Amino acid sequence: MINVSKIKKGIVLDHIEAGKAKVIYTALKLDQVKDPVVIMQSIPSTAMGKKDLIKIETDFELDYTVLGLIAPRTTVNFVEGGERVKKVRLELPKEVEGVMQCKNPRCISNIEKVKDHKFTLANAETEEYRCEYCDSLTKYNE
Ligand code: CTP
Ligand code: ZN
C-alpha cells in the first residue's frame, strides 16, 4: 500500500479514473491554489485496477459539474480536524451550462456567439450530451 500523509483540512478526490487527474488539475485550475496540492497517479485499486487521487489542503470551492463531467466516479472526501467528515459520490451531471461546445460545425452556436450554452445528458452510458440548439450529440472534451 502506498502511503501519503493524511491531511488536516481540505478535500480528497478519490477513485478518479486513472489518467484523469491531470485533466482535472487543469480544468479546475488547481495550479492557482496557494495551499498544498498532491496528485497521485496509477495507484493500485481493488475496485478499479488503477486509480488517480488528488489531495487539496485548502478551503476550495469545487466545480462539481466539471468534475462530474471529467470523472463521474470520483468520491469527494471532506476532511476537517484530520478526520473525514463527509463523503460525496459524484455522478454525470444531467445538465451543463457554459462548459461544453457543440461538435456540429453548422450549429448556430459555432457561427454566432451564444451565452450559457446548455447541454442535457442524452445517454449516461456513452456520456453523450444533447445540444439545446441543434440536438446533435457531443461528449465533453471530444
Ligand atoms: N484522507 C486523507 N486525510 C485524512 C482522512 C482521509 O488524506 N485526514 C484520505 C484517505 O487517504 C483516503 C480518502 O481520504 O484516500 C478517503 O478516506 P476514508 O474515507 O477514510 O478512506 P476509505 O474508507 O478507505 O475510503 P473509500 O471507502 O472511499 O475507499
Ligand atoms: Zn449544436
Side-chain angles (χ1 to χ4, degrees), residues 1-9 11-15 40 43 51 53-55 75-87 89:
M1 187 52 206
I2 298 157
N3 223 330
V4 164
S5 61
K6 302 235 158 182
I7 61 172
K8 271 234 177 69
K9 183 181 174 63
I11 297 163
V12 178
L13 305 177
D14 198 359
H15 306 115
M40 294 171 74
I43 306 165
K51 68 174 184 183
L53 194 149
I54 301 177
K55 298 193 183 198
T75 315
V76 185
N77 299 281
F78 296 87
V79 178
E80 268 169 41
E83 300 289 331
R84 179 179 52 75
V85 293
K86 198 167 89 173
K87 182 185 297 237
R89 281 212 90 113

Side-chain angles (χ1 to χ4, degrees), residues 108-110 112-117 133:
I108 182 79
S109 69
N110 287 316
E112 288 171 23
K113 260 219 175 80
V114 300
K115 232 184 115 217
D116 304 328
H117 193 169
Y133 294 108

Side-chain angles (χ1 to χ4, degrees), residues 78-126:
F78 296 87
V79 178
E80 268 169 41
E83 300 289 331
R84 179 179 52 75
V85 293
K86 198 167 89 173
K87 182 185 297 237
V88 177
R89 281 212 90 113
L90 287 187
E91 46 186 47
L92 271 181
K94 299 278 178 284
E95 235 182 52
V96 300
E97 221 177 282
V99 291
M100 275 177 71
Q101 270 173 359
C102 186
K103 72 172 179 197
N104 170 12
R106 302 217 297 222
C107 177
I108 182 79
S109 69
N110 287 316
I111 295 159
E112 288 171 23
K113 260 219 175 80
V114 300
K115 232 184 115 217
D116 304 328
H117 193 169
K118 207 184 283 175
F119 288 81
T120 311
L121 183 62
N123 187 330
E125 226 144 88
T126 59

Side-chain angles (χ1 to χ4, degrees), residues 26-100:
T26 306
L28 296 187
K29 300 187 173 71
L30 295 183
D31 58 324
Q32 287 171 18
V33 176
K34 298 290 177 243
D35 298 303
V37 177
V38 176
I39 298 183
M40 294 171 74
Q41 295 185 110
S42 300
I43 306 165
S45 154
T46 37
M48 302 173 71
K50 279 180 172 186
K51 68 174 184 183
D52 289 355
L53 194 149
I54 301 177
K55 298 193 183 198
I56 312 161
E57 203 155 5
T58 186
D59 290 318
F60 186 69
E61 284 299 317
L62 282 182
D63 188 336
Y64 288 110
T65 304
V66 170
L67 195 53
L69 268 175
I70 299 168
R73 297 213 286 168
T74 300
T75 315
V76 185
N77 299 281
F78 296 87
V79 178
E80 268 169 41
E83 300 289 331
R84 179 179 52 75
V85 293
K86 198 167 89 173
K87 182 185 297 237
V88 177
R89 281 212 90 113
L90 287 187
E91 46 186 47
L92 271 181
K94 299 278 178 284
E95 235 182 52
V96 300
E97 221 177 282
V99 291
M100 275 177 71

